[in-house]
Amino acid sequence: MQTLLFYDIETSGLNPAFDQVLTFACIRTDMSLNEIGREDIVIRLRDDIVPSPGAFLTHRLDAEILEVGISEYHAALKIHSLLNTPQTISIGYNSLGFDDEFLRFLFYRNLLDPYSHQFANGCSRMDMLPVTLIYYLFCTHALSWPVLEKGQPTMKLEHLTRQNKFTTSGRAHQAMNDVESVVGLAKAFSKYGEIWSYVQGFFDKRADLERMDNLQSSKLSKAYGMDLALMISVSFGAECNYMAPVVFVGGSVPYKNQSLWIRLDKEGMFDQVDEALGVYDLIAIRKKPGDQLFILPVLDRFWEKLLPKSHTACMRNLDFIKENMSGFNKTVSFHRNFKYPQVPDIDLDADLYQGGFFSFQDKKEIAIFHKTEEKKRYQATQSFQSNRVRMLAQRILVRNFNEKPGCAPEFKAHLECLSGIDPGKVIKGYKADVKLTCAKALEELEKIETETMPTFDSSHKDLVKWLKSHIQSQSAIMQSGSFGGSVNSA
């Protein structure tokens, strides 16, 4: 039986490769949105995770809550099983823009398939944020839409929940509370069956590709000889009604699942030229089939939702492209052939994309690791041929099973960087970003204490004090080289 799994997570920060999922809540329903069951999972904060002050002051998780949690490894097994239950459609709010990537890295570093919940055993994904934009634009009576003080609409889930009085059991930014809000949204939208069915097609890769293949049939596309469309995305902002005219410029050569689009509603977008490359300084939007970027044909009923300034800029830019096709094609060729640069010395936790899929041999060794009883797992890793699998397995043992860092020799350098005392030692991510260190987190806390703490209520002040004590203890332990269970008991 096909089911919907509404879920939400709270995390230690914003970096999917280096931060940690701390809570996972979900409600499973049938396709008529009748509840079947729910889960609420709390995960212990790992000793090698430096908590981001901003994240913790938002979700307000503290030591008392996290100390009752289970290990990350056991949580990953449970969450992976929930999302991979056959015929499950996992669905959240901005889940494809945030939550899903966190889960992907959670699964990867715990030696679970990072992608199977997207396609295997009848499983797939949806995201209610872009769905909400469609209803805002084309079915305005479906909800009461909140407006900020300056008159701009807002798509924040907490505002939508408050405005429409969805039934929830907690406060905003608690995972289960947000899941209940998303279920409330789905119930409101599902009353309009034709639209509800249509938006689900955006997350079906085959249907999404078929819709994109039919773009050339619109009058504007025929007039300019290009595949023109309207793209819907929250990233465009309320100031342009969350939509923009775009032109399809082809598929990526190195990344076969990416199509490339150029936004057409910017004034002066062809004024800047990259002199070194000899191309226009444009940004290509990269879309994958079934993702959170919705593509609509240029039909009158959709086109009329475009703001006048966007319409004017689009027509001017189309005329420019038609008259300067050689330069435009050269720019398109650059973007189509672009490859993400390799990050030297990338940390193992962040090596999901650069390292590629697990091989057949990797998967055999991964299966051995999961099946081996706990006390024999380290010995089992010694025989693994895959350096990647062996090192990830050994990190799991140190992080979750009280093994000493000596059991994961390469992990020592990772831990030595966490104090941040030596700014020359960093833990590199896949975007050439770096993992948060104790020193940087303490800098953030010092700024918070100086600038905003006087306005905090007592619970927020207590949280700041706990964060400071926790991170100072972490820093001392990292500097002394005595990592292994001490921080959580601080």
Side-chain angles (χ1 to χ4, degrees), residues 140 197 219 222 232 246 261 282 304 361:
T140 55
S197 177
K219 294 177 182 177
K222 289 178 179 177
I232 311 296
V246 292
W261 307 75
L282 304 178
E304 67 185 16
Q361 181 61 33

Side-chain angles (χ1 to χ4, degrees), residues 11-298:
T11 66
S12 66
L14 299 176
N15 190 308
F18 292 142
D19 280 304
Q20 183 187 5
V21 176
L22 297 177
T23 61
F24 175 93
C26 66
I27 295 174
R28 190 179 294 276
T29 76
D30 61 21
M31 298 305 288
S32 297
L33 301 173
N34 300 304
E35 183 172 333
I36 296 170
R38 60 175 62 194
E39 295 270 359
D40 206 339
I41 301 170
V42 179
I43 305 166
R44 285 198 305 273
L45 182 64
R46 292 195 336 247
D47 290 355
D48 64 308
I49 293 291
V50 179
S52 165
F56 275 74
L57 289 171
T58 299
H59 55 55
R60 289 186 274 175
L61 297 172
D62 59 19
E64 186 177 346
I65 297 170
L66 297 175
E67 281 174 358
V68 302
I70 62 177
S71 72
E72 182 187 77
Y73 175 74
H74 290 104
L77 291 174
K78 194 169 186 178
I79 296 168
H80 195 265
S81 177
L82 287 166
L83 267 68
N84 283 275
T85 298
Q87 301 298 316
T88 293
I89 302 173
S90 53
I91 178 169
Y93 196 82
N94 194 30
S95 49
L96 296 187
F98 184 81
D99 308 58
D100 192 73
E101 190 164 33
F102 261 88
L103 294 180
R104 204 177 299 147
F105 276 96
L106 169 69
F107 298 152
Y108 157 75
R109 67 174 169 267
N110 286 283
L111 294 175
L112 300 167
D113 192 316
Y115 300 104
S116 55
H117 66 287
Q118 300 178 196
F119 66 90
N121 300 312
C123 294
S124 59
R125 305 170 299 164
M126 286 180 60
D127 187 338
M128 285 296 291
L129 176 53
V131 169
T132 301
L133 297 180
I134 291 290
Y135 277 83
Y136 171 75
L137 290 168
F138 304 109
C139 188
T140 55
H141 51 285
L143 285 184
S144 175
W145 300 98
V147 177
L148 299 176
E149 290 182 3
K150 294 183 179 180
Q152 279 197 327
T154 172
M155 295 298 141
K156 285 192 173 182
L157 185 59
E158 60 188 286
H159 295 153
L160 290 166
T161 299
R162 192 181 308 119
Q163 181 87 9
N164 292 278
K165 299 178 180 178
F166 296 141
T167 302
T168 59
S169 56
R171 57 173 171 77
H173 302 296
Q174 284 183 330
M176 184 57 77
N177 182 82
D178 289 353
V179 174
E180 291 168 335
S181 294
V182 180
V183 174
L185 270 179
K187 287 181 176 179
F189 293 157
S190 66
K191 294 175 183 177
Y192 304 91
E194 187 175 351
I195 298 178
W196 182 241
S197 177
Y198 183 77
V199 294
Q200 290 180 56
F202 286 115
F203 303 104
D204 181 313
K205 291 184 179 182
R206 183 177 299 176
D208 197 26
L209 287 169
E210 286 177 358
R211 289 174 181 179
M212 288 188 279
D213 285 342
N214 291 325
L215 293 176
Q216 62 268 28
S217 61
S218 75
K219 294 177 182 177
L220 197 63
S221 293
K222 289 178 179 177
Y224 282 90
M226 305 176 194
D227 290 351
L228 302 172
L230 294 168
M231 183 176 284
I232 311 296
S233 173
V234 72
S235 65
F236 298 154
E239 62 272 13
C240 65
N241 219 17
Y242 304 107
M243 65 193 307
V246 292
V247 57
F248 170 67
V249 293
S252 167
V253 174
Y255 311 108
K256 301 301 182 184
N257 65 337
Q258 293 184 2
S259 58
L260 274 59
W261 307 75
I262 301 294
R263 190 173 170 179
L264 295 170
D265 62 339
K266 295 292 186 181
E267 292 287 355
M269 59 183 283
F270 293 102
D271 291 350
Q272 299 295 319
V273 176
D274 187 319
E275 298 294 344
L277 298 171
V279 299
Y280 295 115
D281 192 10
L282 304 178
I283 297 174
I285 301 172
R286 294 172 178 269
K287 173 176 166 52
K288 298 176 183 177
D291 69 5
Q292 70 272 38
L293 297 173
F294 285 4
I295 294 292
L296 294 173
V298 185

